[in-house]
């Protein structure tokens, strides 16, 4: 029973499941997940890339990893694999939702812990299977959804194979999917490594991405997801990595990339409308406008306390964006003043501000905010 006491989730007796091979025999146990006081949903499942990865890439062969200092310099657990100085967006959101601890990475989540959620996100991952392969191994969206399918199979044991009860449980959970950035950064606009920019026009590429994404989100729906957040791709034409490489006359940002992303984002919002309009009965999808939010944080940086909006707190070269943050590199002293942590990712403060804005207001959410979604 010590294992149960150590779990962050509390349990009361209702459903029987079997725990075999404990001291050589099977024991009958009964559990029902009970939501801790103040926690607004029973569980939270996360899919995405390095913006929300919290350690899934630590043990694989890839350049897309962040389990070294100074990453995590402001996080209580240190360098856990989060691609920022502290909390990610979903860390901050989990706190707002009342979770007593952060959602565990799928690579570490085991057994009953999966009842409260898991983070499947992987740095360099994209909607397309080949995306991010220039950086090494990663878990694509297709594999992340498959991993959630494996999770559902494990959860079914806790519900004694009662699919109706399991689906009822999962229907109350929140699901987050933030995908698409790498399909542009580490695919379409990396023509030395990928042929997609010659295979597709910008409009056609957005279309095939959305078709693939729609299939994957529909798979999540078939596995029990009903309350789902999907994010627009942020204004990545303005991140330090792009600013270090772009030399435009009329704009500091690479508007070619921003315009391409806008096509995807527009289609994604239409997809959300279609899902909510009856295409996926009983589902409620919420569109998070990370493009507009990143634009606002950049345009009005000083009003949020950001003195530096065009360079990373940690990095090398022009805009601290030519090479991203290196092991044991000395970062900027005052992280609160920087919008970006490294060449690609926002600082903890930017993540917290965005989490608060999307949780309780409709500045960047459609058709409702996250707090309202949790209450459904």
């Amino acid at each position: 029973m010590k294992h149960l006491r150590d779990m962050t989730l509390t349990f009361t007796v209702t459903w029987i499941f079997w725990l075999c091979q404990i001291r050589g025999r099977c024991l009958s146990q009964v559990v029902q997940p009970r939501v801790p006081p103040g926690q607004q949903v029973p569980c939270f499942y996360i899919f995405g890339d390095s913006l929300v990865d919290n350690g899934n890439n630590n043990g694989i062969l890839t350049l897309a990893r962040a389990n070294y200092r100074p990453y995590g310099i402001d996080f209580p657990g240190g360098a856990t694999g989060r691609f920022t100085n502290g909390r990610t967006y979903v860390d901050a959101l989990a706190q707002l939702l009342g979770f007593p601890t952060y959602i565990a990475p799928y690579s570490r989540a085991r057994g009953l812990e999966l009842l409260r959620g898991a983070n499947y996100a992987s740095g360099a991952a994209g909607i397309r299977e080949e995306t991010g392969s220039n950086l090494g191994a990663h878990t694509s969206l297709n594999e992340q959804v498959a991993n959630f399918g494996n999770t559902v199979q494990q959860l079914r044991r806790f519900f004694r194979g009662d699919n109706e009860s399991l689906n009822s449980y999962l229907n109350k959970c929140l699901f987050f999917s933030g995908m698409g950035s790498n399909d542009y950064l580490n695919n379409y606009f990396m023509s030395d490594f990928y042929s997609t920019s010659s295979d597709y026009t910008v409009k056609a590429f957005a279309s095939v991405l959305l078709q693939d994404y729609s299939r994957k989100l529909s798979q999540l729906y078939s596995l029990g997801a009903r309350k789902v957040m999907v994010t627009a791709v942020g204004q990545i034409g303005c991140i330090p990595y792009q600013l270090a490489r772009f030399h435009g006359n009329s704009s500091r940002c690479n508007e070619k990339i921003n315009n391409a992303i806008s096509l995807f984002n527009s289609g994604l919002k239409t997809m959300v409308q279609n899902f909510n309009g009856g295409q996926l009965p009983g589902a409620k999808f919420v569109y998070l406008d990370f493009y507009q939010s990143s634009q606002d944080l950049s345009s009005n940086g000083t009003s949020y306390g950001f003195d530096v909006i065009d360079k990373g707190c940690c990095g090398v070269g022009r805009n601290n964006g030519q090479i991203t943050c290196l092991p044991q590199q000395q970062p900027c002293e005052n992280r609160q003043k920087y919008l970006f942590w490294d060449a690609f990712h926002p600082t903890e403060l930017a993540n917290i501000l965005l989490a608060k804005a999307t949780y309780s207001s409709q500045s960047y959410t459609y058709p409702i905010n996250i707090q309202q979604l949790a209450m459904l």
Side-chain angles (χ1 to χ4, degrees), residues 305-373:
F306 298 120
D307 291 341
V308 185
I309 60 166
D310 60 352
K311 63 176 65 174
C313 169
C314 184
V316 178
R318 187 180 180 209
N319 297 89
N320 281 350
Q322 289 178 291
I323 301 174
T324 199
C325 194
L326 298 172
Q328 303 304 322
Q329 184 178 350
Q330 185 65 38
C332 65
E333 189 171 325
N334 192 346
R335 270 84 68 183
Q336 303 275 358
K337 298 295 184 183
Y338 279 70
L339 176 58
F340 291 100
W341 161 249
D342 62 11
F344 303 94
H345 307 97
T347 54
E348 176 186 60
L349 178 57
N351 287 326
I352 291 170
L353 290 171
L354 180 55
K356 288 179 177 178
T358 52
Y359 173 72
S360 58
S361 80
Q362 280 186 241
S363 303
Y364 307 115
T365 65
Y366 172 85
I368 57 177
N369 63 39
I370 296 170
Q371 185 177 33
Q372 292 167 329
L373 181 67

Side-chain angles (χ1 to χ4, degrees), residues 15-19 27-31 112 157-158 160:
W15 291 302
I16 297 178
F17 72 100
W18 295 94
L19 292 177
L27 298 176
S28 173
Q29 300 285 337
V30 283
V31 283
L112 297 172
R157 296 202 305 271
F158 305 147
R160 292 183 63 204

